[in-house]
Amino acid sequence: MARIAFIGTGLMGTGMAGRLIDAGHDVHVYNRTTSRAEPLIERGATLASSPAEAAIGADAIFVMVGDDVASRALWSGTSGILSADLKPGALAIECSTLSHDWVVELSEQAKEAGLDYLDCPVTGLPEAAASGLLTLFLGGAQSTINKAMPLLTPLSRDQIHFGPIGSGSAYKLIVNLMGSIQIAAAAEGLITAERAGLDLNLVAMALASGGCGSPQVARNAPLMVEGAHEKDVLFSTKWRLKDTDYGLKYAQKLGLNPEIGKATLNAFQAAMDDGYAASAETKVIEALRKRLPEAG
């Protein structure tokens, strides 16, 4: 049994931490909003008053939060993980989708603190997190992955090792930018089909199973047709814009100038500007509807 610190118990983190509890580990949790950790406490986790308290003596430290700002505060801020009395050689497993620059900086800070860092962003919805069916995108030394594997296995059905630290996040930023483009393209396609007088339910079904289909299109096109932008929000406009921004900035860092990516960023920024931050990412269709010219 390992002593594990799990920092960040949102929709994804709750499912992941729950899997580690069920696997028999001693899990210490911290979340900025304490009430969101209560379901894990009821399952046997120990509540910590700070990230540092959770991390004391831990064999592995998992973090699953929304962005660079939250990750930086939890690792490096007041009472952050790196201020704790850490176990030498403990695993530092960062699962959040973060900018590539911060992942590299954080890995260096973790190394200086004597931690064994693993770049480990994930893909999958909260249901997959709770069922141990995530796919993990790994960046780090093979020896680190081997050490972490007994803890990664309860969380995932697949682990893909892309190379050294930062490469897992590089892939995650690439695939999330592509996902953003697919969602925005599906929204424009549905608006066009609407103007053409087509049955949108039929169009959504055909898109999901046709040559333009993808998991993003298959999941989001029917929700756009239904207009189900506020019910059971699994991924909001705020986080889709963040992922698009991080992905675009990483491509630009590599000397690229992704015009499709920039147009997609503008689409989700428009949805944010319209006040849809907490709505599902599918709400982008409403922002695009407002901005497309009227039919002649």
Side-chain angles (χ1 to χ4, degrees):
M1 180 178 72
R3 179 181 170 118
I4 297 172
F6 204 104
I7 315 298
T9 58
L11 291 175
M12 296 294 291
T14 294
M16 295 168 70
R19 292 289 299 176
L20 293 168
I21 293 169
D22 291 346
H25 298 295
D26 178 20
V27 180
H28 295 244
V29 298
Y30 171 79
N31 196 69
R32 287 172 295 181
T33 305
T34 303
S35 61
R36 300 194 71 174
E38 288 177 359
L40 294 169
I41 307 307
E42 293 172 0
R43 292 171 65 177
T46 300
L47 179 66
S49 62
S50 69
E53 182 182 308
I56 294 171
D59 299 298
I61 303 157
F62 286 83
V63 174
M64 184 57 158
V65 291
D67 57 17
D68 285 7
V69 173
S71 174
R72 189 182 294 272
L74 293 170
W75 285 101
S76 306
T78 303
S79 299
I81 295 162
L82 297 177
S83 70
D85 183 12
L86 300 170
K87 186 174 181 177
L91 289 160
I93 304 176
E94 177 55 89
C95 299
S96 317
T97 301
L98 305 171
S99 73
H100 194 266
D101 285 347
W102 170 236
V103 167
V104 172
E105 181 182 344
L106 173 58
S107 70
E108 293 169 350
Q109 291 185 18
K111 182 178 179 181
E112 290 173 2
L115 301 176
D116 199 356
Y117 186 88
L118 183 61
D119 181 21
C120 184
V122 313
T123 188
L125 295 172
E127 182 179 346
S131 303
L133 297 176
L134 297 172
T135 296
L136 311 181
F137 304 139
L138 305 179
Q142 186 63 55
S143 59
T144 303
I145 293 171
N146 293 343
K147 184 164 70 170
M149 194 56 68
L151 303 180
L152 303 181
T153 301
L155 306 179
S156 57
R157 63 180 174 187
D158 197 13
Q159 309 88 27
I160 306 174
H161 184 197
F162 284 94
I165 289 170
S167 58
S169 286
Y171 176 76
K172 182 67 190 293
L173 294 175
I174 291 165
V175 76
N176 276 22
L177 180 57
M178 289 179 64
S180 298
I181 291 167
Q182 290 169 1
I183 293 167
E188 285 201 343
L190 286 169
I191 293 169
T192 305
E194 186 176 52
R195 289 199 180 179
L198 303 182
D199 181 330
L200 292 189
N201 286 299
L202 188 60
V203 169
M205 182 184 69
L207 284 174
S209 60
C212 291
S214 71
Q216 288 286 14
V217 172
R219 183 170 71 88
N220 287 300
L223 295 175
M224 291 181 192
V225 173
E226 184 183 347
H229 309 301
E230 317 299 335
K231 180 183 176 183
D232 299 327
V233 175
L234 297 178
F235 204 73
S236 70
T237 297
K238 173 185 175 180
W239 298 125
R240 177 55 62 183
L241 177 64
K242 181 270 296 187
D243 282 2
T244 308
D245 181 49
Y246 285 179
L248 185 60
K249 285 177 177 172
Y250 182 56
Q252 291 168 335
K253 177 182 174 180
L254 298 176
L256 302 173
N257 188 30
E259 294 295 340
I260 299 173
K262 287 192 284 188
T264 301
L265 183 73
N266 290 338
F268 285 102
Q269 183 62 60
M272 283 285 289
D273 293 344
D274 287 348
Y276 303 151
S279 302
E281 57 195 337
T282 51
K283 192 84 169 186
V284 69
I285 193 171
E286 302 299 341
L288 290 174
R289 275 197 181 108
K290 289 181 180 180
R291 287 161 176 81
L292 290 174
E294 296 294 328

